[in-house]
Amino acid sequence: MKKILFLLLVPFYGFAQNDINDFWKNDFWQINEVVNHELDLFELSNPPAERLQIRSDGTKFIYGNSLTFNTNGTFISKYSADCGNDCFTRSEGTFEKIDETHLRLQINLFARSGWCEGVEDRTLRDLGTFEIKPTKNGYQLVKLKDE
């Protein structure tokens, strides 16, 4: 009986592992909010193909909130709009892959400009460790409460 149960669960376990592995294959995400020290949950999804632009230097771009993981262990999260009449927020920092389902984030710069109160905060903020959870539309980064 245990063997049958194991054989039934293997496909589900393998599917979940593929979902997490797909997270690490992507370096560019649409995100619900610019990464900041006030939130413990971020929703990530692949940008719709019709909104994704690839610039001449190879960088990916969308209007709205985005998150880019760079191969050197840094990230950039920003908001952009197709007009200049808005409040533009961005954060820059570092990430560390702890294991396949966890990463640690640190912000080195948080800035706002445009039609809002300008802010530039270079306070180092360790955001802690986040669990990567697959969802129907992408992934969630959920901060571990033990932090």
Side-chain angles (χ1 to χ4, degrees):
M1 181 67 176
K2 288 182 183 178
K3 288 182 182 179
I4 293 172
L5 182 60
F6 174 76
L7 290 174
L8 290 173
L9 292 176
V10 167
F12 296 109
Y13 178 77
F15 178 73
Q17 290 300 309
N18 286 341
D19 284 350
I20 293 296
N21 289 334
D22 287 345
F23 175 86
W24 292 108
K25 291 177 186 173
N26 194 353
D27 61 351
F28 184 75
W29 297 97
Q30 182 173 315
I31 189 168
N32 63 321
E33 294 282 336
V34 170
V35 173
N36 64 73
H37 67 280
E38 296 175 350
L39 297 178
D40 293 339
L41 172 76
F42 298 100
E43 300 276 348
L44 282 67
S45 61
N46 285 314
E50 65 274 5
R51 292 188 53 218
L52 182 63
Q53 301 173 26
I54 299 180
R55 296 185 168 160
S56 59
D57 63 359
T59 59
K60 297 174 185 172
F61 178 81
I62 58 167
Y63 290 118
N65 296 317
S66 65
L67 172 62
T68 303
F69 291 112
N70 299 308
T71 56
N72 65 358
T74 63
F75 73 84
I76 298 173
S77 182
K78 63 184 176 180
Y79 169 76
S80 61
D82 59 353
C83 70
N85 302 328
D86 213 336
C87 179
F88 301 96
T89 306
R90 85 174 200 275
S91 65
E92 298 176 9
T94 59
F95 72 95
E96 176 187 1
K97 179 180 176 180
I98 305 297
D99 58 33
E100 291 302 310
T101 59
H102 296 87
L103 60 85
R104 187 167 199 86
L105 295 173
Q106 176 178 298
I107 292 179
N108 304 331
L109 169 70
F110 184 84
R112 280 199 177 109
S113 62
W115 286 32
C116 57
E117 185 177 331
V119 170
E120 185 168 309
D121 182 357
R122 293 188 176 271
T123 305
L124 293 177
R125 296 183 189 269
D126 184 358
L127 302 184
T129 301
F130 289 77
E131 182 177 359
I132 304 163
K133 293 185 172 186
T135 65
K136 180 177 148 189
N137 297 321
Y139 296 90
Q140 288 181 331
L141 298 181
V142 181
K143 185 173 181 177
L144 298 180
K145 296 299 179 193
D146 297 331
E147 295 288 316

